[in-house]
Amino acid sequence: MGLSTQICALLFASLYILCHFIITHFKKHTDFTAVHDDEDAAVNRIALGLCTFTLAVALGAVLLLPFSIISNEVLLSFPHNYYIQWLNGSLVHGLWNLIFLFSNLSLVFLMPFAYFFTESEGFAGSKKGIMARVYETSVVLLLLTLLVLGMVWVASAIVGNDAASRQSLYDLWEYYLPYLYSCISLFGVLLLLLCTPFGLSTMFTVTGQLLVKPRLLEDLDEQLSCTRFEEAAVSRRIRSGKASCWLNLDMELLREQFFAIRSKRRKLELRHRASPWQRNLGYPLAMLGLLALTGISVLIVCFHVLELLLDDAAMPRGIQDASLGQVSFSIFGSFGAALQVVLIFYLMVSSVVGFYSSPLFTRLLPERQDTPLTKIIGNCVSLLVLSSALPVFSRTLGITRFDLLGDFGRFNWLGNFYIVFLYNMGFAGLTTLCLVKRVSWAVQAELIRALGLHKLPLPVTCRRPLVKSC
């Protein structure tokens, strides 16, 4: 086993362990206990292992481009250092190929298998057991694979109506799977185009909820007193319901309401005990940082649009050889490369926030210790689609100059100027529109709250009824 293979295995094992703890934090424990059925618990544990593998691949896809950029800068700064000889182009190229292979494997086979495996019961008349479920899942997955491959064959034959393209259709590994993954990647890039601008504007709201605002913008004393009063009122209702047999109260609903109010009160108390530095300095700096990162992203995309009009080299392209340590991928050197890494992570976090904040995917949001297995599978598939499209997304927008390695650069639509140009224009326009809309609304709401206008009663206009004259 070569050194590069050992490093790849070690990195993936670390990601797998991390993802196992993440999924364990959200899964519903009753789905994996053998109290009711040992077979269902075993099936759920197998499906959970497949979900952990898929989530590890998704996390690896997120780290792929930043790791490559950092590796290039490290090799450029320390070209002859003995302790980083293991960091070379072969390792980086191998990581790109493995992520591409595992992404195909997870999206096309593992996640459909995990879903059908949890829903299967075995064929009618067959002996019950795990193997019966495996047989049924394999047959359903085979039929689904034939259906998908047939649809891809028809779509590719319609798009490329010539003898050469039809001849290449019979090559499964060299044409079918890359073409199928190209369609999935295009869907992921379009999903990022919709979720990222919305997420960039939502990040301001999420950050405002996590951090303590200055006293000018938030009256924590009033919120805390109201929450304590509400908690005491619900507590009295619970005690009165227990002491009296005449009151018909839903005690379970009252207990859930009481625990929610108490949790809110504890969070408010923690925020109330925040230091003046956190209150008066942390919130403004965080907002300025988000605004700066968003503005830099939009400026880079606008500059990339001009480059697309003037220079063909600005188009995203794929390469087969990773020549690292020769030239920096930013005109600002190491500082520019670090900024690229920060922007890539920021855009990924924003896309995830926008994805879970959109009305279509709000139901997929996982809950701590209460997420069923089918929802975990849906989350893993969604995150893998978003993360596997992140390298193509970052290169298409010009966030980085690092060219796509391996099969990531073989997507057919990457060479289409109009698609790339319209994609950049759409991202810049949607981000600017969402940002201006959200910031203007936020400023208006904070000014109304700071001036106390939200406490004023709404004016009620009384109209005289029309009296019909005789």
Side-chain angles (χ1 to χ4, degrees):
M1 183 182 294
L3 181 60
S4 299
T5 306
Q6 294 178 2
I7 295 174
C8 292
L10 182 61
L11 291 175
F12 186 78
S14 303
L15 294 178
Y16 187 90
I17 294 173
L18 177 61
C19 294
H20 174 74
F21 286 113
I22 294 175
I23 292 182
T24 305
H25 178 75
F26 290 103
K27 71 177 183 180
K28 182 185 291 186
H29 289 286
T30 55
D31 293 341
F32 302 92
T33 55
V35 176
H36 302 289
D37 194 347
D38 295 343
E39 181 182 331
D40 289 339
V43 168
N44 290 337
R45 283 193 293 267
I46 294 173
L48 188 70
L50 298 178
C51 292
T52 306
F53 178 86
T54 303
L55 188 60
V57 175
L59 186 57
V62 173
L63 299 174
L64 189 60
L65 195 55
F67 179 78
S68 303
I69 296 174
I70 294 175
S71 300
N72 179 74
E73 295 300 323
V74 170
L75 291 176
L76 192 64
S77 302
F78 309 100
H80 304 294
N81 196 318
Y82 173 78
Y83 296 100
I84 59 172
Q85 293 300 317
W86 56 272
L87 191 61
N88 49 39
S90 176
L91 172 64
V92 174
H93 193 271
L95 288 174
W96 281 74
N97 289 334
L98 286 177
I99 293 298
F100 183 84
L101 175 63
F102 289 159
S103 299
N104 278 285
L105 184 65
S106 299
L107 288 175
V108 179
F109 295 107
L110 295 185
M111 285 295 94
F113 182 86
Y115 176 76
F116 292 130
F117 192 45
T118 55
E119 299 295 329
S120 64
E121 297 180 356
F123 291 110
S126 62
K127 184 179 179 180
K128 298 298 182 181
I130 295 180
M131 292 308 300
R133 292 191 174 193
V134 172
Y135 294 149
E136 180 186 355
T137 305
S138 301
V139 171
V140 174
L141 188 60
L142 178 61
L143 295 176
L144 180 63
T145 303
L146 293 177
L147 176 63
V148 173
L149 290 179
M151 294 173 62
V152 173
W153 193 90
V154 172
S156 58
I158 293 175
V159 173
N161 191 14
D162 54 348
S165 62
R166 291 177 180 175
Q167 185 67 27
S168 63
L169 293 177
Y170 300 101
D171 195 344
L172 176 66
W173 185 261
E174 292 294 331
Y175 187 81
Y176 257 129
L177 291 182
Y179 186 84
L180 179 61
Y181 192 75
S182 177
C183 298
I184 296 175
S185 176
L186 179 60
F187 173 75
V189 170
L190 292 177
L191 189 61
L192 284 174
L193 177 62
L194 298 177
C195 294
T196 306
F198 181 65
L200 289 173
S201 59
T202 311
M203 286 288 288
F204 292 90
T205 305
V206 174
T207 307
Q209 294 173 354
L210 295 177
L211 298 179
V212 182
K213 298 180 181 179
R215 295 187 183 274
L216 176 64
L217 303 178
E218 185 180 34
D219 191 357
L220 282 178
D221 295 329
E222 181 183 358
Q223 295 182 23
L224 190 57
S225 61
C226 292
T227 306
R228 287 172 177 169
F229 178 78
E230 190 176 0
E231 182 183 5
V234 176
S235 178
R236 283 195 299 269
R237 291 187 64 186
I238 293 176
R239 287 196 301 269
S240 62
K242 290 181 179 179
S244 175
C245 60
W246 301 100
L247 294 177
N248 186 13
L249 299 176
D250 191 351
M251 301 303 297
E252 189 64 29
L253 182 60
L254 284 176
R255 288 192 186 95
E256 292 181 359
Q257 185 179 3
F258 175 75
F259 290 142
I261 295 173
R262 186 171 64 177
S263 176
K264 180 181 178 181
R265 189 254 304 167
R266 290 176 177 175
K267 292 180 180 178
L268 287 175
E269 287 178 350
L270 289 175
R271 298 178 65 183
H272 189 266
R273 290 195 296 265
S275 63
W277 290 99
Q278 295 177 344
R279 185 185 303 276
N280 299 320
L281 192 61
Y283 180 80
L285 288 179
M287 288 299 168
L288 288 176
L290 292 178
L291 188 61
L293 290 175
T294 307
I296 292 173
S297 302
V298 175
L299 288 178
I300 289 177
V301 174
C302 294
F303 183 73
H304 188 243
V305 169
L306 296 178
E307 283 187 321
L308 289 173
L309 295 175
L310 300 176
D311 189 6
D312 293 336
M315 289 287 295
R317 61 188 181 92
I319 57 175
Q320 297 299 322
D321 186 18
S323 55
L324 300 180
Q326 296 183 2
V327 63
S328 178
F329 294 102
S330 175
I331 58 176
F332 299 104
S334 300
F335 174 77
L339 181 61
Q340 290 178 4
V341 172
V342 172
L343 289 177
I344 290 172
F345 283 125
Y346 177 62
L347 292 178
M348 184 61 200
V349 173
S350 301
S351 65
V352 173
V353 172
F355 177 81
Y356 285 114
S357 300
S358 60
L360 294 176
F361 305 105
T362 305
R363 296 180 181 179
L364 277 178
L365 187 65
E367 300 177 4
R368 181 178 178 271
Q369 305 295 332
D370 195 29
T371 306
L373 186 58
T374 53
K375 185 181 287 188
I376 291 178
I377 294 174
N379 279 277
C380 291
V381 171
S382 303
L383 292 176
L384 182 58
V385 170
L386 291 174
S387 60
S388 60
L390 182 63
V392 184
F393 173 77
S394 303
R395 182 62 185 92
T396 304
L397 293 180
I399 302 297
T400 179
R401 296 292 183 179
F402 194 92
D403 291 319
L404 303 172
L405 292 177
D407 292 325
F408 278 93
R410 293 177 56 186
F411 301 146
N412 299 328
W413 56 271
L414 284 177
N416 193 317
F417 170 78
Y418 297 102
I419 293 179
V420 175
F421 179 77
L422 292 177
Y423 189 87
N424 282 263
M425 291 293 296
F427 178 83
L430 288 175
T431 303
T432 305
L433 180 63
C434 292
L435 188 62
V436 170
K437 187 176 180 180
R438 180 58 62 92
V439 170
S440 61
W441 283 4
V443 171
Q444 181 181 0
E446 295 295 348
L447 287 176
I448 291 176
R449 183 181 298 273
L451 296 176
L453 299 179
H454 64 289
K455 301 178 182 180
L456 298 178
L458 294 177
V460 179
T461 57
C462 299
R463 295 184 178 180
R464 281 186 169 184
L466 297 177
V467 180
K468 183 183 289 186
S469 57
C470 298

